[in-house]
Amino acid sequence: MKILGEDLKHGVIQVQVETLDDLWILYNVLREGDIVYAKTTREVKVGDGSEGSRIPMILGVKVKKIEFQEFTNKIRISGIVVEGPEKFGVQGKHHTLSIGVGDVLSIVKEEWSKIEVDLLKRQTTKNRVLVVSIDFDEVCIGLVAEQGVKHIWESSVNLPSKHYAVDHESIIKTYLKQVVEVVVQTLKNEDVNAVVIVGPGEIKNQLKTLIGENTKLPLYTDTTSTGGCKGISEALNRDLFKNIMGELSLVKATSILNEFKELLVKDHELVAYGVEEVRSAALIGAVEKLLVLDELLRTPDDELRNTVYETLRNAYDRKADVVIVPSKTDIGGELAGFGGIVAILRFKVFKPE
């Protein structure tokens, strides 16, 4: 996200969307009642004729509804037009802004919270890694990005043992060729920075060689206990993958949640979960790391949403590490089981039984 201008005294920040992941951040930052100014087109009637034409214009829309589907290239912002060219008579009418990569928009809020500003200003990763998890029983190809894991293709196979099939090597070659074809096509369709091949045994190395003949992207391998989509989930916890993805939120969130679960068993006074428990810990500056489900930032329950934002503000003010987790991911589903928000604490906090 590129910040083009900032006037917090008047509640205005102007940004330019640089990546698809920026759209997900906007989805979490925008709330009902905000006003968004952006270039758009609107069908208007010209003259006395009944036919209309789409005219480009800049409109200010008071947000009523925000729609975003993971891994699409647009976010739709619907609401009432509060400002626009008077000659077209659009003020007071409904309109939907369609925002994509490269678009510039100005966001006006009555009050910006620190977490909202930090979300816009942080350097969003441009890393998008294709992960291929393979063994002799199944293969899964997934794209890992800020928004989560997109499962692109998976297949179950039943390869015969080399002890029972004369043409075992030929069968393996055919299997790997099919996987490579899917990988190559995916690399054409998706913006990818690297490819990671994981799985048990030697087959992943054979696949790496074949993929290397078809791409100049960096290739990495790592060993997991299984192939398929479970192998991708396992790979997210590996140091190699963390190094490749850097501070990608999904990987970071997985690491924090694993640490939280370990402490929950070993020393439960060093963790907190659920909105009220985490809020209490944040109030006294005890929160060191915090995970929050994105759905809590957009809940229609005003009291709950305000409590969550208060908690995040207190955590941010005391330099806590805060990560927002997409709900439509494996880790998002797991986080929901803990009330949608968990924290690792700097010091023990007594909790009555």
Side-chain angles (χ1 to χ4, degrees), residues 26 30-31 33-39 58-63 66 77 80-83 97 99 104-109:
L26 284 174
L30 292 173
R31 287 191 285 170
D34 293 344
I35 298 174
V36 176
Y37 291 85
K39 188 174 182 179
I58 294 177
L59 296 179
V61 175
K62 189 170 186 178
V63 178
I66 309 160
I77 304 166
I80 302 297
V81 177
V82 296
E83 190 172 342
L97 299 171
I99 304 297
V104 173
L105 61 155
S106 295
I107 306 168
V108 183
K109 290 177 176 282

Side-chain angles (χ1 to χ4, degrees), residues 133-134 198-201 204 222-227 230-232 234-235 238:
S133 176
I134 187 170
V198 302
K204 64 179 178 294
D222 201 4
T223 299
T224 53
S225 62
T226 184
K230 288 183 179 179
I232 292 180
E234 183 180 340
R238 296 305 179 95

Side-chain angles (χ1 to χ4, degrees), residues 93-271:
K93 295 184 178 179
H94 288 271
H95 187 79
T96 297
L97 299 171
S98 184
I99 304 297
V101 174
D103 288 339
V104 173
L105 61 155
S106 295
I107 306 168
V108 183
K109 290 177 176 282
E110 289 188 6
E111 181 181 2
W112 283 87
S113 69
K114 189 175 188 302
I115 185 172
E116 290 169 335
V117 176
D118 286 349
L119 273 172
L120 289 182
K121 288 186 174 181
R122 73 177 182 176
Q123 183 64 42
T124 55
T125 178
K126 294 178 174 60
N127 284 339
R128 292 162 67 82
V129 175
L130 193 71
V131 186
V132 185
S133 176
I134 187 170
D135 61 15
F136 290 99
D137 298 314
E138 54 185 340
V139 59
C140 182
I141 298 176
L143 178 67
V144 180
E146 184 81 10
Q147 304 162 26
V149 180
K150 176 185 179 183
H151 290 133
I152 293 173
W153 182 74
E154 60 181 307
S155 177
S156 297
V157 292
N158 187 16
L159 299 179
S161 169
K162 61 182 178 181
H163 300 293
Y164 298 100
V166 177
D167 56 348
H168 180 264
E169 289 188 8
S170 175
I171 294 172
I172 295 298
K173 286 182 180 179
T174 301
Y175 171 45
L176 293 177
K177 181 181 178 182
Q178 180 189 15
V179 176
V180 171
E181 288 175 352
V182 177
V183 169
V184 170
Q185 187 59 48
T186 302
L187 294 178
K188 291 179 180 179
N189 296 337
E190 301 284 355
D191 182 15
V192 173
N193 303 93
V195 179
V196 178
I197 305 108
V198 302
E202 179 62 25
I203 192 169
K204 64 179 178 294
N205 298 317
Q206 298 177 45
L207 181 61
K208 178 185 177 182
T209 299
L210 294 174
I211 293 176
E213 296 172 357
N214 291 274
T215 182
K216 294 182 179 180
L217 288 173
L219 301 179
Y220 304 88
T221 59
D222 201 4
T223 299
T224 53
S225 62
T226 184
C229 295
K230 288 183 179 179
I232 292 180
S233 297
E234 183 180 340
L236 291 177
N237 292 304
R238 296 305 179 95
D239 288 339
L240 170 66
F241 201 85
K242 293 176 184 178
N243 292 335
I244 295 169
M245 299 302 284
E247 289 298 301
L248 187 65
S249 291
L250 185 68
V251 175
K252 192 174 184 180
T254 301
S255 177
I256 292 174
L257 186 61
N258 287 340
E259 183 181 355
F260 164 83
K261 290 188 292 186
E262 288 179 6
L263 287 171
L264 186 62
V265 175
K266 295 179 180 178
D267 198 343
H268 70 93
E269 291 181 350
L270 277 175
V271 298

Side-chain angles (χ1 to χ4, degrees), residues 13-77:
I13 295 181
Q14 186 181 53
V15 301
Q16 182 174 34
V17 179
E18 293 186 300
T19 71
L20 294 176
D21 293 333
D22 288 343
L23 297 176
W24 180 78
I25 290 175
L26 284 174
Y27 184 52
N28 284 289
V29 166
L30 292 173
R31 287 191 285 170
E32 184 176 350
D34 293 344
I35 298 174
V36 176
Y37 291 85
K39 188 174 182 179
T40 184
T41 61
R42 185 175 175 90
E43 187 169 317
V44 296
K45 292 182 180 180
V46 181
D48 297 329
S50 58
E51 292 187 3
S53 59
R54 299 201 71 84
I55 305 295
M57 62 185 74
I58 294 177
L59 296 179
V61 175
K62 189 170 186 178
V63 178
K64 181 67 177 177
K65 184 179 180 181
I66 309 160
E67 296 177 288
F68 174 67
Q69 184 176 356
E70 286 82 357
F71 294 96
T72 61
N73 58 2
K74 295 287 182 181
I75 184 173
R76 292 167 56 84
I77 304 166

